[in-house]
Amino acid sequence: MPIAQTTHAAEHPTKTTPSERVLESAEYISRCSRDVHVPDAGVRQAAQEIMRRMQRTGYSTADWRRHALNPSVADAEALEWIFVVDALNFSFWSANTLQPAAASDNNEEDDAARSSRQRYTVTLDGTAYSGYWTLCAAVNRALREGTAMTDSAFYSRITEAEAAHVFRTDDAATQEAIPLLGERVRVLREVGGVLREKYGGKFANLVGQCAGSAQRLVELVVRDFPCFRDEHWFAGRPVQLYKRAQILVADVWACFEGAGLGRFDDIDAITMFADYRVPQALCRFGALQYSDRLLGFLRASERRVRAAGSEQDSHQLTKACPPARPGLLPSGHAWEVEIRGNSVWAVELIRRRIAECGVGVNAVLIDFYLWDYAKDHPEEMQTIPIHLTRSVFY
């Protein structure tokens, strides 16, 4: 069984652009995988269904700007907001929303209600947000309160106490804190320091160096900001996934609707953003399949972590494959890399199928649609477990 691990070396295959490296890595991971599969029939069916749904809803970059928490004006300030948010765009799953450890027909509703109250929540303008949107709500709340959360001069020196206040939950007595607060402080200091050292303290200056090239922007981000360097070791070689670096570019493109500072002539080369939510949606659409042993492990891990109430009280696994018991998969574990790499490859094959039907859509919009679908249809996702990993990469 191939074992994956994080690699800090900048070893790349012969492909020259970051997104080419991600696609080549994804295809390699798919070929070498033993427990995750991308079925041809499932890809065909998923492509047809996703294409019909996207056409019916008129899904486009405009949907990004419509969300209440995203910047309403596409300007230089929006760029700085996007950079901070995507620097921190990782690890929002909650132990309290996983499958109950021993739920019966009589207590499932009570358990779900209790979990809803306990998870990390940020309320803004009367709306209670969970998951990724808590990050956006917390940053917006901080800006309203006068905290310079989009100014690298501030966040490059942010203290853990300041970060804890910015990312505070609604009710600390009954709700979880934001996961990985210490890592978020480290990331803010890192990216703020690099911006100030190399780019005059502004992400806009970095964007301005890229001359309308998404690939150039991704390359500079993964070169200069280690926390964006989503690289691992799998089946005897390094592989690249670059989730946050690519979604950073995609968010800029979506915010500016492909114009001005968000004009990227090569945006269609960007791949899907490998996280834990989109694989769940791909399974729902039949484009991703797990082996029985992996599926059993994921379900048992959800129950174990849910029973513990938090991952700190559950079992942190080694990189042995298969694991000896249920628990959190460490970043770079072979099963984690298989799930993420096959997700990238599945979306690429879906994109190609849709293109064969004469419909032009890139992997960015397919990813955005699948992520929104998973969030908007939780009842359809209940039987599909997510893989549990705490990582700064997603």
Side-chain angles (χ1 to χ4, degrees), residues 3 21 26 76 79 81 88 102 118 177 198 230 243 280 293 335 341 346 352 383:
I3 300 298
R21 296 198 294 271
L79 278 183
W81 184 94
L88 299 173
Q118 291 176 345
K198 295 190 174 184
D230 189 0
K243 184 265 186 182
Q280 192 181 37
R293 70 171 181 170
W335 277 353
R352 294 178 187 180
T383 61

mmCIF file of all heavy atoms in Angstrom, residues 3 21 26 76 79 81 88 102 118 177 198 230 243 280 293 335 341 346 352 383:
data_model
loop_
_atom_site.group_PDB
_atom_site.id
_atom_site.type_symbol
_atom_site.label_atom_id
_atom_site.label_comp_id
_atom_site.label_asym_id
_atom_site.label_seq_id
_atom_site.Cartn_x
_atom_site.Cartn_y
_atom_site.Cartn_z
ATOM 1 N N ILE A 3 2.253 4.796 0.828
ATOM 2 C CA ILE A 3 2.128 5.688 1.967
ATOM 3 C C ILE A 3 2.480 7.094 1.498
ATOM 4 O O ILE A 3 3.463 7.309 0.810
ATOM 5 C CB ILE A 3 3.073 5.272 3.108
ATOM 6 C CG1 ILE A 3 2.724 3.857 3.562
ATOM 7 C CG2 ILE A 3 2.980 6.249 4.270
ATOM 8 C CD1 ILE A 3 1.330 3.693 4.119
ATOM 9 N N ARG A 21 0.961 20.678 -12.977
ATOM 10 C CA ARG A 21 1.532 19.761 -11.999
ATOM 11 C C ARG A 21 0.438 19.114 -11.155
ATOM 12 O O ARG A 21 0.521 17.932 -10.812
ATOM 13 C CB ARG A 21 2.530 20.510 -11.102
ATOM 14 C CG ARG A 21 3.742 21.041 -11.843
ATOM 15 C CD ARG A 21 4.887 21.378 -10.907
ATOM 16 N NE ARG A 21 4.623 22.478 -10.002
ATOM 17 C CZ ARG A 21 4.866 23.755 -10.276
ATOM 18 N NH1 ARG A 21 5.349 24.104 -11.468
ATOM 19 N NH2 ARG A 21 4.637 24.688 -9.360
ATOM 20 N N ALA A 26 -2.745 14.426 -9.998
ATOM 21 C CA ALA A 26 -4.053 13.811 -9.783
ATOM 22 C C ALA A 26 -4.219 12.551 -10.618
ATOM 23 O O ALA A 26 -4.735 11.524 -10.140
ATOM 24 C CB ALA A 26 -5.162 14.807 -10.108
ATOM 25 N N ALA A 76 -9.458 47.245 -4.798
ATOM 26 C CA ALA A 76 -8.210 46.809 -4.170
ATOM 27 C C ALA A 76 -8.434 46.318 -2.748
ATOM 28 O O ALA A 76 -7.762 45.383 -2.292
ATOM 29 C CB ALA A 76 -7.197 47.957 -4.189
ATOM 30 N N LEU A 79 -9.421 42.765 -2.777
ATOM 31 C CA LEU A 79 -8.274 41.869 -2.962
ATOM 32 C C LEU A 79 -7.629 41.515 -1.629
ATOM 33 O O LEU A 79 -7.299 40.351 -1.378
ATOM 34 C CB LEU A 79 -7.226 42.524 -3.863
ATOM 35 C CG LEU A 79 -7.411 42.458 -5.372
ATOM 36 C CD1 LEU A 79 -6.218 43.104 -6.056
ATOM 37 C CD2 LEU A 79 -7.580 41.028 -5.852
ATOM 38 N N TRP A 81 -8.999 41.574 1.328
ATOM 39 C CA TRP A 81 -9.948 40.731 2.070
ATOM 40 C C TRP A 81 -9.854 39.288 1.594
ATOM 41 O O TRP A 81 -9.779 38.354 2.404
ATOM 42 C CB TRP A 81 -11.361 41.265 1.875
ATOM 43 C CG TRP A 81 -12.439 40.569 2.648
ATOM 44 C CD1 TRP A 81 -12.939 40.931 3.863
ATOM 45 C CD2 TRP A 81 -13.183 39.398 2.257
ATOM 46 N NE1 TRP A 81 -13.944 40.060 4.260
ATOM 47 C CE2 TRP A 81 -14.111 39.109 3.295
ATOM 48 C CE3 TRP A 81 -13.158 38.567 1.148
ATOM 49 C CZ2 TRP A 81 -14.989 38.026 3.243
ATOM 50 C CZ3 TRP A 81 -14.032 37.481 1.093
ATOM 51 C CH2 TRP A 81 -14.933 37.220 2.133
ATOM 52 N N LEU A 88 -6.583 31.806 5.484
ATOM 53 C CA LEU A 88 -7.146 31.115 6.655
ATOM 54 C C LEU A 88 -8.232 30.111 6.288
ATOM 55 O O LEU A 88 -8.914 29.571 7.162
ATOM 56 C CB LEU A 88 -7.737 32.148 7.613
ATOM 57 C CG LEU A 88 -6.745 33.170 8.183
ATOM 58 C CD1 LEU A 88 -7.476 34.243 8.974
ATOM 59 C CD2 LEU A 88 -5.699 32.480 9.050
ATOM 60 N N ALA A 102 -24.105 6.687 18.776
ATOM 61 C CA ALA A 102 -25.069 5.624 19.065
ATOM 62 C C ALA A 102 -26.472 6.196 19.049
ATOM 63 O O ALA A 102 -27.221 6.116 20.014
ATOM 64 C CB ALA A 102 -24.773 5.000 20.419
ATOM 65 N N GLN A 118 -23.777 23.524 19.600
ATOM 66 C CA GLN A 118 -22.422 23.413 20.130
ATOM 67 C C GLN A 118 -21.329 23.798 19.141
ATOM 68 O O GLN A 118 -20.229 24.127 19.558
ATOM 69 C CB GLN A 118 -22.176 21.984 20.610
ATOM 70 C CG GLN A 118 -22.989 21.614 21.850
ATOM 71 C CD GLN A 118 -22.780 20.158 22.233
ATOM 72 O OE1 GLN A 118 -22.274 19.367 21.447
ATOM 73 N NE2 GLN A 118 -23.183 19.796 23.437
ATOM 74 N N ALA A 177 -14.630 26.616 20.062
ATOM 75 C CA ALA A 177 -13.790 27.679 19.519
ATOM 76 C C ALA A 177 -13.443 27.332 18.075
ATOM 77 O O ALA A 177 -13.609 26.187 17.632
ATOM 78 C CB ALA A 177 -12.522 27.818 20.354
ATOM 79 N N LYS A 198 8.255 41.450 0.611
ATOM 80 C CA LYS A 198 8.446 41.296 -0.836
ATOM 81 C C LYS A 198 7.480 42.088 -1.700
ATOM 82 O O LYS A 198 7.769 42.336 -2.882
ATOM 83 C CB LYS A 198 8.328 39.815 -1.217
ATOM 84 C CG LYS A 198 9.425 38.933 -0.634
ATOM 85 C CD LYS A 198 9.388 37.538 -1.231
ATOM 86 C CE LYS A 198 10.573 36.711 -0.757
ATOM 87 N NZ LYS A 198 10.611 35.378 -1.392
ATOM 88 N N ASP A 230 0.982 23.116 -0.822
ATOM 89 C CA ASP A 230 0.224 21.878 -0.595
ATOM 90 C C ASP A 230 0.854 20.741 -1.391
ATOM 91 O O ASP A 230 0.330 20.300 -2.413
ATOM 92 C CB ASP A 230 -1.225 22.147 -1.023
ATOM 93 C CG ASP A 230 -2.198 21.053 -0.654
ATOM 94 O OD1 ASP A 230 -1.784 20.046 -0.043
ATOM 95 O OD2 ASP A 230 -3.395 21.204 -0.983
ATOM 96 N N LYS A 243 -4.522 23.401 -3.148
ATOM 97 C CA LYS A 243 -5.918 23.792 -2.983
ATOM 98 C C LYS A 243 -6.077 25.281 -2.716
ATOM 99 O O LYS A 243 -6.786 25.996 -3.423
ATOM 100 C CB LYS A 243 -6.554 22.958 -1.861
ATOM 101 C CG LYS A 243 -8.050 23.213 -1.673
ATOM 102 C CD LYS A 243 -8.372 24.217 -0.605
ATOM 103 C CE LYS A 243 -9.880 24.313 -0.381
ATOM 104 N NZ LYS A 243 -10.234 25.327 0.635
ATOM 105 N N GLN A 280 -17.323 14.669 -0.971
ATOM 106 C CA GLN A 280 -18.634 14.197 -0.513
ATOM 107 C C GLN A 280 -19.676 14.397 -1.607
ATOM 108 O O GLN A 280 -20.481 13.498 -1.899
ATOM 109 C CB GLN A 280 -19.021 14.971 0.756
ATOM 110 C CG GLN A 280 -20.198 14.405 1.517
ATOM 111 C CD GLN A 280 -20.512 15.249 2.735
ATOM 112 O OE1 GLN A 280 -20.416 16.474 2.713
ATOM 113 N NE2 GLN A 280 -20.903 14.590 3.821
ATOM 114 N N ARG A 293 -13.511 -1.033 2.735
ATOM 115 C CA ARG A 293 -12.713 -0.836 3.949
ATOM 116 C C ARG A 293 -12.508 0.649 4.243
ATOM 117 O O ARG A 293 -12.517 1.063 5.405
ATOM 118 C CB ARG A 293 -11.388 -1.583 3.861
ATOM 119 C CG ARG A 293 -10.385 -1.037 2.877
ATOM 120 C CD ARG A 293 -9.041 -1.745 3.060
ATOM 121 N NE ARG A 293 -8.026 -1.233 2.152
ATOM 122 C CZ ARG A 293 -6.743 -1.540 2.249
ATOM 123 N NH1 ARG A 293 -6.327 -2.364 3.193
ATOM 124 N NH2 ARG A 293 -5.860 -1.047 1.394
ATOM 125 N N TRP A 335 -4.571 7.508 2.275
ATOM 126 C CA TRP A 335 -6.005 7.574 2.002
ATOM 127 C C TRP A 335 -6.458 9.018 1.793
ATOM 128 O O TRP A 335 -7.294 9.288 0.934
ATOM 129 C CB TRP A 335 -6.799 6.929 3.145
ATOM 130 C CG TRP A 335 -6.883 5.444 3.007
ATOM 131 C CD1 TRP A 335 -6.462 4.695 1.946
ATOM 132 C CD2 TRP A 335 -7.436 4.518 3.947
ATOM 133 N NE1 TRP A 335 -6.707 3.354 2.173
ATOM 134 C CE2 TRP A 335 -7.309 3.226 3.396
ATOM 135 C CE3 TRP A 335 -8.004 4.654 5.206
ATOM 136 C CZ2 TRP A 335 -7.754 2.084 4.050
ATOM 137 C CZ3 TRP A 335 -8.445 3.514 5.869
ATOM 138 C CH2 TRP A 335 -8.318 2.236 5.295
ATOM 139 N N GLY A 341 -6.691 13.582 -4.446
ATOM 140 C CA GLY A 341 -6.211 13.490 -5.820
ATOM 141 C C GLY A 341 -7.262 12.977 -6.774
ATOM 142 O O GLY A 341 -7.424 13.497 -7.892
ATOM 143 N N ALA A 346 -11.510 13.511 -10.960
ATOM 144 C CA ALA A 346 -12.925 13.332 -11.296
ATOM 145 C C ALA A 346 -13.520 14.620 -11.866
ATOM 146 O O ALA A 346 -14.252 14.593 -12.869
ATOM 147 C CB ALA A 346 -13.714 12.899 -10.054
ATOM 148 N N ARG A 352 -14.279 17.668 -18.948
ATOM 149 C CA ARG A 352 -14.074 17.232 -20.327
ATOM 150 C C ARG A 352 -15.355 16.687 -20.937
ATOM 151 O O ARG A 352 -15.656 16.941 -22.113
ATOM 152 C CB ARG A 352 -12.973 16.173 -20.378
ATOM 153 C CG ARG A 352 -11.589 16.696 -20.000
ATOM 154 C CD ARG A 352 -10.551 15.567 -20.018
ATOM 155 N NE ARG A 352 -9.263 16.012 -19.512
ATOM 156 C CZ ARG A 352 -8.180 15.226 -19.408
ATOM 157 N NH1 ARG A 352 -8.265 13.949 -19.795
ATOM 158 N NH2 ARG A 352 -7.049 15.704 -18.935
ATOM 159 N N THR A 383 -25.450 10.366 4.580
ATOM 160 C CA THR A 383 -24.946 8.987 4.514
ATOM 161 C C THR A 383 -23.544 8.901 3.916
ATOM 162 O O THR A 383 -22.989 7.818 3.799
ATOM 163 C CB THR A 383 -25.897 8.107 3.701
ATOM 164 O OG1 THR A 383 -25.977 8.613 2.359
ATOM 165 C CG2 THR A 383 -27.302 8.096 4.322
#
